[in-house]
């Protein structure tokens, strides 16, 4: 990021709030074992379905497990899912988009037709179908979400490369004998990196939401994993008698996604030269 973009980010109050929240959540995830008051997987049938109290600040679930401890450990899992999915999607989509945009012709046609086919299906429906085929698990869910999210990176990078490939610096590199791969990875991709960073920030938020949805349906994290979507799924039968079991993970998901979106919006404004004054 340039100094102008950094200054613009620092002046954005929403962005700074989002950064503060994410830094707090990262610290919670890193030090979950220290912060959590109880073992999130330890059952206590003598204290099951207790309301919030001084001993259990958010109460206990149907197995007597401390809800606050499970929420804290769920931070680690949800953030890991978001980052892992974004990395997988970028690793697939960015090179494919660059190759399609630079070479054009048949290569571009094949890659973009695959993208069009995948985009014909609603994202969450496609993810549900693929996880159901691969088998419900945390690892399969991350691979599937990354495997269906790369199409957005491909479309984005392809469009940027198409606009850049006839620029003077590309023509000069080609005239000096640089190979196509060198031009793509050393000259073109660094110039589209800002847009990719913005897309990645939104991808993390989308992945956390999608993972929570799949876990709620029983296709993601499996019991007894402390994951926010799975916690929502377990709590749906107790919404009338213990609403905190649903409210706590729901609020955690909302705050996390909102904070990431604040950062993404600020990055887009700071890195877009057309929006700079």
């Amino acid at each position: 990021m340039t100094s102008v973009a950094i200054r613009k980010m620092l002046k954005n109050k929403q962005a700074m709030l989002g950064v503060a929240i994410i830094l707090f959540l990262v610290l919670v995830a890193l030090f979950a074992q220290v912060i959590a008051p109880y073992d999130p997987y330890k059952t206590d049938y003598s204290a099951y379905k207790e309301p919030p109290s001084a001993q259990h600040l958010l109460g206990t679930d149907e197995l007597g497990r401390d809800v606050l401890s499970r929420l804290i450990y769920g931070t680690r899992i949800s953030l890991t899912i978001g980052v892992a999915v974004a990395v997988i999607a970028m690793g697939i989509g960015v090179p494919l988009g660059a190759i399609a945009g630079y070479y054009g012709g048949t290569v571009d046609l094949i890659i973009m037709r695959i993208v069009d086919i995948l985009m014909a299906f609603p994202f969450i429906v496609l993810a549900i179908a693929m996880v159901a085929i691969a088998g419900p698990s945390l690892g399969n869910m991350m691979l599937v979400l990354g495997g269906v999210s790369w199409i957005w990176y491909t479309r984005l990078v392809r469009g940027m490369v198409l606009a850049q490939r006839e620029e003077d610096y590309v023509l000069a590199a080609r005239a000096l004998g640089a190979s196509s791969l060198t031009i793509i990875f050393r000259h073109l991709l660094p110039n589209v990196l800002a847009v990719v960073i913005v897309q990645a920030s939104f991808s993390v938020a989308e992945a956390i939401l999608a993972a929570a949805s799949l876990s709620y349906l029983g296709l993601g994290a499996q019991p007894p994993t402390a994951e926010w979507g799975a916690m929502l799924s377990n709590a749906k039968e107790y919404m009338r008698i213990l609403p905190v079991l649903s409210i706590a993970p729901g609020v955690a998901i909302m705050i996390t996604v909102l904070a990431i979106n604040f950062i993404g919006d600020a990055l887009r404004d700071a890195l877009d030269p057309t929006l700079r004054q």
Side-chain angles (χ1 to χ4, degrees):
M1 293 176 64
T2 65
S3 58
V4 175
I6 293 174
R7 286 198 299 271
K8 195 167 184 179
M9 282 282 294
L10 293 174
K11 291 179 181 179
N12 191 315
K13 294 181 180 179
Q14 285 188 345
M16 291 300 98
L17 176 61
V19 169
I21 292 172
I22 295 302
L23 286 177
F24 172 75
L25 292 174
V26 169
L27 290 175
V28 168
L30 290 175
F31 299 102
Q33 292 178 330
V34 178
I35 298 172
Y38 298 93
D39 183 344
Y41 301 109
K42 183 180 180 180
T43 59
D44 183 3
Y45 292 104
S46 64
Y48 74 100
K49 290 192 288 187
E50 286 190 353
S53 62
Q55 188 175 6
H56 300 281
L57 295 180
L58 293 179
T60 59
D61 64 9
E62 72 280 4
L63 297 177
R65 298 171 298 192
D66 183 67
V67 175
L68 177 60
S69 299
R70 290 180 62 77
L71 198 69
I72 290 171
Y73 272 77
T75 305
R76 177 183 295 177
I77 295 175
S78 294
L79 291 181
T80 300
I81 291 171
V83 174
V85 169
V87 169
I88 293 170
M90 280 192 293
I92 299 172
V94 171
L96 286 178
I99 290 170
Y102 182 79
Y103 287 104
T106 304
V107 174
D108 181 36
L109 182 65
I110 294 172
I111 293 175
M112 296 314 297
R113 292 301 74 77
I114 295 173
V115 170
D116 291 340
I117 291 171
L118 292 176
M119 290 189 67
F121 299 93
F123 172 79
I124 193 65
V125 174
L126 183 61
I128 290 172
M130 293 182 68
V131 172
I133 294 171
S137 72
L138 196 58
N140 286 343
M141 179 181 67
M142 288 191 287
L143 290 174
V144 166
L145 289 176
V148 298
S149 299
W150 63 268
I151 55 178
W152 310 111
Y153 290 92
T154 301
R155 285 176 58 89
L156 183 65
V157 173
R158 172 184 176 270
M160 295 294 293
V161 171
L162 280 174
Q164 294 282 327
R165 67 179 183 180
E166 299 302 327
E167 293 289 334
D168 291 341
Y169 72 92
V170 176
L171 297 177
R174 194 178 298 150
L176 291 172
S179 66
S180 297
L181 291 179
T182 299
I183 294 173
I184 290 173
F185 290 100
R186 288 191 59 184
H187 299 288
L188 287 172
L189 285 185
N191 283 289
V192 303
L193 186 61
V195 181
V196 172
I197 291 174
V198 174
Q199 178 61 35
S201 65
F202 290 119
S203 291
V204 172
E206 292 169 359
I208 292 174
L209 273 177
S213 301
L214 291 174
S215 294
Y216 182 84
L217 296 174
L219 295 173
Q222 299 299 299
T225 305
E227 193 269 339
W228 292 340
M231 290 175 66
L232 278 172
S233 180
N234 294 336
K236 62 180 181 291
E237 299 178 6
Y238 309 102
M239 290 185 67
R240 290 181 180 274
I241 59 174
L242 275 177
V244 68
L245 296 182
S246 301
I247 293 173
V251 170
I253 294 170
M254 180 191 71
I255 290 175
T256 304
V257 172
L258 195 61
I260 295 172
N261 282 334
F262 282 164
I263 297 172
D265 286 337
L267 282 172
R268 181 192 59 201
D269 295 345
L271 295 175
D272 189 345
T274 63
L275 298 177
R276 295 179 191 164
Q277 295 180 356

